[in-house]
Amino acid sequence: MQLNHYLNFKGDTEAAFNFYKSVFGGEFSALMRYSDMPAQEGVSLSDADQQKIMHISLPINEFTVLMASDVSEQFCAKTNQPFAVGNNHYISINLESSEQAQAKTLFDALSKDGSIEMPLEKTFWGALYGAFTDQFGIKWMVNCQLE
């Protein structure tokens, strides 16, 4: 299991991560834009929103990966989680495919008496993924690669 920092930005993820890359060095290990997302019923993104970053990863060292995305107003409204500085940081738990049971156990235990933003379920990027705020106001993501 690996714990990483996951940041949300309001449209300037790419600029922020180019800056972080200039400071820490290295190369992005993942970069997906909203335009890479399969079509979803009820979701229609503008051309500008489609160019925003859906997910980016920058390995800092062998133990730490800094990750982020641009928030979409449409998804904020859908989850009733408006963007605000201060709630734009998650602790991301990353697990291997052999740890699916542990992913569910951690998700269920940590989200108890909290608020689930997205239930733990299979995603189009080949992972079990869920997000929530725990009972103490800490935001978490659980991501377990299936492939």
Side-chain angles (χ1 to χ4, degrees):
M1 175 181 10
Q2 185 179 30
L3 296 177
N4 292 306
H5 298 281
Y6 202 103
L7 309 174
N8 289 132
F9 294 90
K10 196 168 187 173
D12 54 358
T13 298
E14 191 162 7
F17 267 66
N18 282 327
F19 169 73
Y20 298 146
K21 183 178 172 183
S22 76
V23 172
F24 294 111
E27 296 297 326
F28 301 133
S29 58
L31 194 158
M32 290 188 296
R33 297 187 185 278
Y34 281 100
S35 60
D36 298 325
M37 183 175 64
Q40 293 181 345
E41 187 175 322
V43 176
S44 176
L45 297 174
S46 69
D47 290 342
D49 281 348
Q50 287 186 35
Q51 293 309 305
K52 290 182 179 177
I53 304 292
M54 187 177 79
H55 176 76
I56 191 167
S57 298
L58 177 64
I60 303 300
N61 60 38
E62 65 181 300
F63 306 107
T64 306
V65 179
L66 187 60
M67 298 180 284
S69 64
D70 284 313
V71 296
S72 161
E73 293 302 324
Q74 193 170 134
F75 293 120
C76 286
K78 188 176 180 180
T79 62
N80 200 26
Q81 298 281 326
F83 176 87
V85 173
N87 77 353
N88 59 334
H89 180 266
Y90 288 79
I91 298 172
S92 177
I93 301 172
N94 299 286
L95 301 130
E96 299 296 324
S97 61
S98 62
E99 300 172 301
Q100 291 178 46
Q102 185 178 12
K104 178 158 178 33
T105 298
L106 288 169
F107 185 91
D108 292 345
L110 287 168
S111 66
K112 185 178 185 304
D113 297 327
S115 173
I116 294 176
E117 184 177 327
M118 182 175 170
L120 188 67
E121 58 191 20
K122 188 175 179 183
T123 64
F124 69 88
W125 64 84
L128 285 177
Y129 171 84
F132 58 90
T133 302
D134 72 18
Q135 61 185 311
F136 301 103
I138 304 302
K139 296 173 87 57
W140 295 83
M141 295 176 170
V142 175
N143 189 77
C144 180
Q145 281 306 127
L146 298 175
E147 302 158 359

